[in-house]
């Protein structure tokens, strides 16, 4: 599992993240929601080792893969991007072709990745991650650039990958629908702190704090 | 006949000097530039200002410093390098390294952070990440190399001071042009200038062919 204890991140005087305790178990999907600037990306980046923490502890038993909010395509073809990202070369061609077709990128396999559209690029970014076996997956807004169909594709690929590998997933989203669809547990961040947490149904129907109520009311308009 | 072989010899010295100045400056300046560009530390802005200032170092001043270091009774006098191609390369590196550091650093700053984040997320090794960083930036790195080469081949103040413009030894295109101009051989000086431009042109073409991105 990934275990966080008294995690703090400060920029100068300003605390942008303050989490007393958070655990992500293997086989569990935890979805982090919250408005812009609430600290979602900061949390994932610290877990991925991109950012240093100001204080606290992060423990993880297993390999973590992380897909940033803006994943950069390499100057290679779509297929080469995936092959280049694979650690293990066993049956690599077949695995790669399967992933391309799951993400409906097969027809773009030989296209230069730099020329993909935003949504295609994001699907490729997920493909580069899931060519690998991992224990934990950190996904920062994996469907932010997606249309409805693309969102469905990504969600089903994430579900399938979790089923096959039994990995734990910590991801962020701005979509209530996605949180409902994927989450075992939802964490609501507000100014770097956990304002609410619970199962998607619990949280959506019965928020505990005033701020949580307001946030969820806005969400309900959206669904 | 003699004229032709002297011309070829001058071109040879010029290319040899520019090649080594460029290669050494890039080998030293690029890693430093990447290092400064991708890390965060106090005094980074000061370093930027310093390399920026050194970019404007007048060549004759660089020449003067190197001259004083390598003159017979200077600290490095015992090497006996004054008026050799080697010392010309040293003087040029003083001029070019700050340029390479500065350009590489700006380029890294814009480009590298997100790429490194992506690579780290995929658990690439340090080596794989560094190679990726180089290959993803080959266009801009190439323009750094070409800028270094351009500065080296066109430079006259430092090389004439420390090289001495000695016939058959340290005379390069630029110092030859100076000499011919002083002698009043304008058309010959101009011809040399055109050859110099041609060399630059060919080098640029070869270099960009080397890293051409195929379109698709
Ligand atoms: N390098 C930095 N220096 C100062 N403040 C920063 C820095 N990076 C991020 N922040 C601040 O930290 C806070 C949290 O940012 P973060 O990117 O984690 O938000 P987020 O929840 O991911 O938002 P979004 O939904 O827009 O992606 C923001 O207020 C941001 O301005
Ligand atoms: Mg974010």
């Amino acid at each position: 599992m990934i275990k966080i204890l008294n995690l703090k991140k400060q920029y100068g005087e300003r605390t942008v993240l303050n989490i007393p305790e958070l655990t992500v178990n293997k086989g569990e999907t935890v979805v982090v929601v919250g408005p812009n600037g609430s600290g979602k990306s900061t949390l994932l980046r610290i877990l991925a080792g991109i950012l240093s923490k100001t204080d606290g502890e992060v423990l993880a038993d297993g390999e973590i893969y992380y897909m940033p909010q803006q994943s950069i395509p390499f100057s290679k073809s779509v297929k080469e991007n995936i092959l280049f990202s694979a650690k293990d070369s066993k049956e690599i061609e077949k695995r790669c072709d399967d992933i391309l077709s799951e993400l409906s990128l097969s027809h773009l396999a030989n296209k230069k990745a730099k020329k993909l559209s935003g949504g295609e690029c994001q699907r490729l970014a997920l493909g580069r991650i899931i060519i690998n076996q991992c224990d934990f997956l950190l996904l920062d807004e994996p469907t932010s650039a997606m249309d409805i169909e693309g969102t469905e594709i990504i969600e089903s690929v994430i579900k399938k990958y979790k089923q096959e590998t039994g990995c734990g997933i910590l991801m962020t989203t701005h979509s209530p629908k996605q949180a409902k669809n994927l989450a075992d547990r939802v964490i609501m961040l507000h100014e770097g702190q956990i304002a609410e947490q619970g199962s998607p149904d619990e949280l959506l129907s019965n928020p505990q704090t005033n701020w949580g109520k307001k946030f969820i009311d806005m969400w309900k308009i959206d669904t | 006949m003699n004229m032709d072989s002297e011309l070829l010899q001058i071109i040879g010295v010029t290319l040899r000097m520019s090649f080594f100045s460029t290669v050494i400056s890039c080998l030293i300046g690029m890693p430093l530039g990447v290092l400064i560009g991708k890390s965060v530390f106090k005094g980074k802005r000061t370093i930027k200002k310093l390399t920026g200032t050194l970019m404007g170092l007048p060549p004759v001043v660089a020449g003067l410093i190197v001259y004083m270091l390598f003159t017979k009774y200077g600290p490095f006098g015992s090497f006996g390098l004054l008026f050799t191609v080697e010392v010309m390369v040293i003087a040029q590196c003083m001029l070019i390294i700050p340029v390479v550091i500065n350009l590489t650093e700006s380029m890294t700053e814009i480009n590298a952070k997100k790429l490194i984040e992506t690579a780290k997320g995929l658990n690439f090794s340090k080596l794989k990440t560094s190679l990726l960083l180089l290959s993803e930036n080959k266009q801009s790195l190439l323009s750094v190399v070409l800028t270094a080469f351009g500065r080296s081949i066109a430079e006259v103040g430092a090389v004439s001071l420390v090289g001495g413009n000695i016939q058959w030894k340290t005379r390069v295109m630029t110092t030859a042009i100076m000499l011919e101009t002083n002698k009043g051989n304008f058309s010959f000086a101009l011809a040399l200038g055109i050859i110099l431009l041609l060399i630059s042109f060919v080098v640029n073409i070869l270099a960009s062919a080397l890293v051409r991105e195929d379109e698709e």
Side-chain angles (χ1 to χ4, degrees), chain A residues 29-138:
Chain A
T29 302
V30 176
V31 175
V32 182
V33 300
N36 293 139
S38 56
K40 304 181 296 296
S41 297
T42 306
L43 172 62
L44 263 56
R45 285 169 133 168
I46 290 175
L47 296 181
I50 307 289
L51 269 184
S52 64
K53 52 189 189 295
T54 310
D55 200 11
E57 264 185 281
V58 174
L59 307 164
D61 58 347
E63 203 170 18
I64 299 175
Y65 277 78
Y66 159 67
M67 177 172 144
Q69 200 163 346
Q70 285 170 298
S71 189
I72 308 293
F74 308 140
S75 317
K76 304 170 186 294
S77 77
V78 168
K79 187 167 176 177
E80 286 161 353
N81 260 265
I82 294 182
L83 293 175
F84 186 74
S85 307
K87 235 185 192 169
D88 170 15
S89 59
K90 218 175 82 198
E91 291 184 24
I92 186 85
E93 285 285 330
K94 181 179 180 308
R95 275 160 52 215
C96 181
D97 288 342
D98 288 349
I99 286 174
L100 285 172
S101 97
E102 277 172 40
L103 290 166
S104 52
L105 287 172
S106 300
H107 61 294
L108 300 171
N110 296 316
K111 190 168 167 154
K112 289 274 164 214
K114 292 269 185 213
K115 308 221 159 135
L116 294 179
S117 77
E120 291 163 349
C121 200
Q122 211 167 18
R123 275 182 276 153
L124 172 60
L126 185 62
R128 291 192 305 202
I129 299 266
I130 63 170
I131 188 82
N132 296 291
Q133 287 275 334
C134 74
D135 302 294
F136 296 100
L137 204 55
L138 309 174

